[in-house]
Amino acid sequence: MRRIRLLIAALLVAFLASTGASTAGTAPVRVRFVSLAWQKTAVEAVKEVVTAWNRTNPAIQVDYAQVDWGAIHDYMLTSFQTGNVPDVFHYESIPILDFAKRGFLTDLTPMITPEMRADIFPGAWQTVLSEGGKIHAVPYLWESLIIIYNKKLFRDAGITPPTKEKPWTWDDLQRAAKTLTKDLNGDGRTDQFGAAIGLRSPVNRVLNLSIGFGGNYFYVQGGRNVVLVGEAERALLTILMNMLYVDKTASPDGLGRGSPELIPGFLAGRYAMLPGIGVWARQSLVETAPADFEWGVLPPLKAKTQYQGSATQTLSIPAAAKNKEAAWRFIEFALSRDNMAKQALGDWLFPTRQSSIRLSGFTTTKYGWDVSTDSVRFLRMAPWQKVLGYSEWRTRLATPLMNELFANRITLDQFAERVVAGSAEILDRYR
Amino acid sequence: MAMTLSAPLRRRATTALLLVPLAAYIIFLAFPLLWLTSTSFKRPNEILVLRPTVIPKAPTLDNYREVLGPEGVVRASLNTMKVAVASAVLALAIALPAAYALARKQSRLNKAIIGWILVSQSFPSILIIVPLFLILARFSLANSHLGLIMVYVVWSLPFVLWILHGFVKGLPNELEEAAAVDGASFPQILFRILMPLLLPGLATTLLYAFVNAWNEFFFALVVLKDPQLMTVQVSLSRFRGLEGLARWGPLAAGSVIATLPAMAAFAFLQRRLVSGLLSGGLKN
């Protein structure tokens, strides 16, 4: 019995010694950097940047950590609450504005150099501009919604793809979708749809694309944010409902799936176009498409304009960060022309620096980069990005209602009525 | 004239009929694991297809190579094993005497304590994580496995205690009284008489606490900041992407590796569980 006790005691001591809190050396300043890059090439690009920094800056060492998009919000909120924050973190412009308003972030305005300020697209700066013109995050990646098409199916149907100079309108898209929708084996069922649109979480996509119709959804009336669903807001919804239930040119597969989940069907020739898919999803196509599969990217559709809303991915420094100056120096390095380009290419997104986006990687015709990159000039900050309570509005109200609409369980009028009525209750709470 | 079956034949037919749904259920349970294993050997162009196959057409070990790399799931699995085993054993060590006391010592407080144990199960983790983290930080236990073990012990203790309480209560008092009459001391009663009979309960609760800690994600994400200390669930989340996409191949390979220790624990404890049941029914 005594032997057993001694053994247990020895094991316990050894275990406690091995699990004690880590106490790293204190010589170099440590900067903890949380990144959300997840695609293989994106992770490699970020690691390359971090390694290059650590090699050339022995006094400031960056510790790279990866967190996933699904967990980052809770991760950062708990970090802010507990004070145990990373020194630099990657996120996106919409929640960043909320974090800034709650005092969680360092004001980066005095640190941003004139060179950086001038080089990053003004539209990208707009997405992170807090009240009073302060900037709490540097926007460095952004995306547009593109249309990916099957070149062979277009050729077989005799359809000439539009060009950057002469883009399609939404009417053109609907006409092409009709031509491309076919019952190939004569069994009375559609085997090939003109399009498939991922509508599982449709709100951001619909709102971003509605900007081209002049539909903002959110307006300020008497100093309050209100939601209005007028003709401009209804235009895109009407088109989508027509494609789904009148023309039946959009596959019902899109109702329960996100756009990237439609790629297998696209590769199998079940859908000729994937409208409204994120530009980054091209990487999945490159990874999965057979060598002889021909695909391309169509320019943004023209409604009243070709504008679309876009958020940016950002780097920020928490207000509670211990090494703000070192953190900022790393941000400057990570967001230099070449490093920003490297990370954007790795993530199949656009860099926000004008000098980066002019590099050859973004203008090549390969993988539709030239057409995709051209869409950057139509990106705008959507007004809803700065509406407090938007996240709750989207999750609790707009998403279920849009799902009901797209499942054809309610009419467009009912959708409009309910979304307007429900919005007031949510948005007023955030005043 | 109706054909009649002999008794042994009837028994066999009944057994076969019972085995069919059992086999179907086992296939139903095993299929996700089979699919996971199959995906772990596939390249992306075989995963994202309209009609995927169970058997990979061009099997690859690339996914395993990636997850077994320097920042792969092996270290994370070892970390998790350490945390899960320690927290399960500690939870059990604390819960067993507490369960005995609750079951055997009659007090008006007992019902309230049991009630509180059940109520405490309903607190969502997000509610307690901030104060919990602040307490850990105060004792320099944040960003350490010891801190996470404490969290897991606290998290699984109520349920472990509740289950064990039921097991202890199910044992007749007469056994202890008979042993006492025969001159056994309290530790002898506890370890020689009750423990063998409690083995199924101990195995069940140990397994529960172990699997609970093994699968836990949120506490590990918040408490551990150093990538070297990451647990396997946090490590696997690196392969999750946006809009339903993920790096399915490495995620599946990592999940297969991460599943193995839990399966081994089940296999090991299942034997103990059965032996514990049998030993309870034997007369020495």
Side-chain angles (χ1 to χ4, degrees), chain B residues 91-132:
Chain B
L92 212 62
I94 298 168
L96 183 59
Y100 183 84
L102 277 175
R104 289 288 189 255
K105 308 291 173 199
Q106 294 305 318
S107 156
R108 265 182 286 176
L109 269 178
N110 280 13
K111 274 189 181 170
I113 292 170
I114 296 287
W116 174 245
I117 288 166
L118 287 175
V119 168
S120 69
Q121 285 289 290
S122 60
F123 293 149
S125 51
I126 191 83
L127 194 73
I128 61 163
I129 187 65
V130 171
L132 202 58

Side-chain angles (χ1 to χ4, degrees), chain A residues 153-154 157 159 173-184 189-196 243-244 246-252 269-273:
Chain A
L153 296 184
F154 265 51
I159 296 171
L173 176 92
Q174 289 178 89
R175 263 194 299 275
K178 268 187 191 170
T179 312
L180 288 159
T181 300
K182 289 175 181 172
D183 169 11
L184 297 171
R189 284 187 297 194
T190 303
D191 304 297
Q192 178 188 301
F193 286 91
M243 289 179 78
L244 280 165
V246 181
D247 297 345
K248 296 186 177 171
T249 54
S251 169
R270 195 164 159 71
Y271 332 118
M273 293 182 278

Side-chain angles (χ1 to χ4, degrees), chain A residues 82-317:
Chain A
T82 57
N84 190 321
V85 291
D87 297 289
V88 179
F89 72 98
H90 173 186
Y91 204 9
E92 63 175 346
S93 52
I94 304 163
I96 282 295
L97 293 171
D98 183 42
F99 286 168
K101 200 173 174 74
R102 293 159 76 175
F104 294 148
L105 303 179
T106 302
D107 177 12
L108 304 178
T109 323
M111 301 181 195
I112 296 166
T113 61
E115 181 276 329
M116 184 185 269
R117 194 180 280 269
D119 197 20
I120 288 178
F121 283 102
W125 282 125
Q126 278 293 320
T127 63
V128 292
L129 212 56
S130 302
E131 281 170 22
K134 287 182 176 175
I135 293 169
H136 296 86
V138 182
Y140 77 111
L141 299 172
W142 60 359
E143 70 167 316
S144 63
L145 298 171
I146 55 172
I147 303 167
I148 292 173
Y149 76 103
N150 183 322
K151 283 186 177 175
K152 183 178 177 299
L153 296 184
F154 265 51
R155 222 170 23 236
D156 291 350
I159 296 171
T160 309
T163 60
K164 287 183 283 186
E165 294 73 28
K166 206 176 171 199
W168 272 354
T169 62
W170 281 89
D171 287 341
D172 294 328
L173 176 92
Q174 289 178 89
R175 263 194 299 275
K178 268 187 191 170
T179 312
L180 288 159
T181 300
K182 289 175 181 172
D183 169 11
L184 297 171
N185 56 11
D187 67 352
R189 284 187 297 194
T190 303
D191 304 297
Q192 178 188 301
F193 286 91
I197 306 156
L199 294 170
R200 189 176 55 196
S201 307
V203 180
N204 277 1
R205 188 165 294 120
V206 167
L207 265 62
N208 278 328
L209 291 175
S210 290
I211 287 177
F213 294 88
N216 287 339
Y217 279 86
F218 288 89
Y219 299 88
V220 178
Q221 283 184 351
R224 296 167 57 203
N225 284 317
V226 293
V227 170
L228 300 175
V229 184
E231 285 311 306
E233 285 78 20
R234 286 168 182 247
L236 177 62
L237 296 173
T238 307
I239 289 170
L240 294 177
M241 291 299 283
N242 276 342
M243 289 179 78
L244 280 165
Y245 296 106
V246 181
D247 297 345
K248 296 186 177 171
T249 54
S251 169
D253 294 352
L255 292 176
R257 298 183 195 172
S259 290
E261 290 170 286
L262 296 167
I263 287 174
F266 175 71
L267 293 175
R270 195 164 159 71
Y271 332 118
M273 293 182 278
L274 295 179
I277 194 167
V279 72
W280 56 271
R282 289 172 304 150
Q283 201 218 4
S284 292
L285 264 181
V286 173
E287 269 189 352
T288 54
D292 59 346
F293 187 86
E294 295 175 86
W295 60 274
V297 175
L298 301 182
L301 298 174
K302 191 169 180 190
K304 278 182 182 168
T305 64
Q306 287 175 274
Y307 293 156
Q308 55 176 270
S310 178
T312 55
Q313 293 185 27
T314 57
L315 290 185
S316 297
I317 302 175

Side-chain angles (χ1 to χ4, degrees), chain A residues 1 15-16 18-22 32 37-40 43 47 63-72 74-75 77-79 81-85 143 200 205 257-261 263-265 267-268 270-271 278 280-281 284 287-290 313, chain B residues 43-51 66 71 82-83 86-87 90 126 129-134 137 140-147 149-150 191 217-218 221-227 229-230 234 237-248:
Chain A
M1 198 67 178
F15 176 75
L16 289 176
S18 73
T19 53
S22 60
R32 188 149 62 86
W38 66 277
Q39 305 204 72
K40 191 177 182 187
V43 173
K47 282 184 179 172
D63 298 321
Y64 163 80
Q66 191 186 334
V67 174
D68 77 291
W69 279 94
I72 186 68
D74 288 341
Y75 179 87
L77 275 180
T78 49
S79 297
Q81 295 294 344
T82 57
N84 190 321
V85 291
E143 70 167 316
R200 189 176 55 196
R205 188 165 294 120
R257 298 183 195 172
S259 290
E261 290 170 286
I263 287 174
L267 293 175
R270 195 164 159 71
Y271 332 118
W280 56 271
S284 292
E287 269 189 352
T288 54
Q313 293 185 27
Chain B
R43 292 190 165 86
N45 60 0
E46 267 200 74
I47 297 170
L48 279 178
V49 288
L50 208 53
R51 289 182 185 82
E66 182 170 348
E71 289 171 38
K82 183 165 80 170
V83 170
S87 57
L90 267 175
I126 191 83
I129 187 65
V130 171
L132 202 58
F133 188 92
L134 291 175
S140 300
L141 289 172
N143 197 26
S144 77
H145 284 154
L146 191 57
I149 289 165
M150 297 294 178
F191 289 104
F217 172 77
F218 186 61
L221 178 79
V222 175
V223 172
L224 303 176
K225 304 293 180 191
D226 184 349
L229 300 175
M230 283 303 162
V234 180
S237 73
R238 294 177 298 147
F239 301 115
R240 277 170 38 187
L242 285 162
E243 292 190 44
L245 265 191
R247 297 190 57 221
W248 298 113

Side-chain angles (χ1 to χ4, degrees), chain B residues 180-220:
Chain B
V181 168
D182 288 344
S185 64
F186 180 70
Q188 280 173 324
I189 292 172
L190 197 63
F191 289 104
R192 297 243 173 112
I193 309 293
L194 296 183
M195 281 286 262
L197 296 172
L198 279 175
L199 269 181
L202 293 175
T204 307
T205 45
L206 191 72
L207 208 59
Y208 166 80
F210 176 82
V211 173
N212 215 15
W214 186 272
N215 288 332
E216 204 283 327
F217 172 77
F218 186 61
F219 287 132

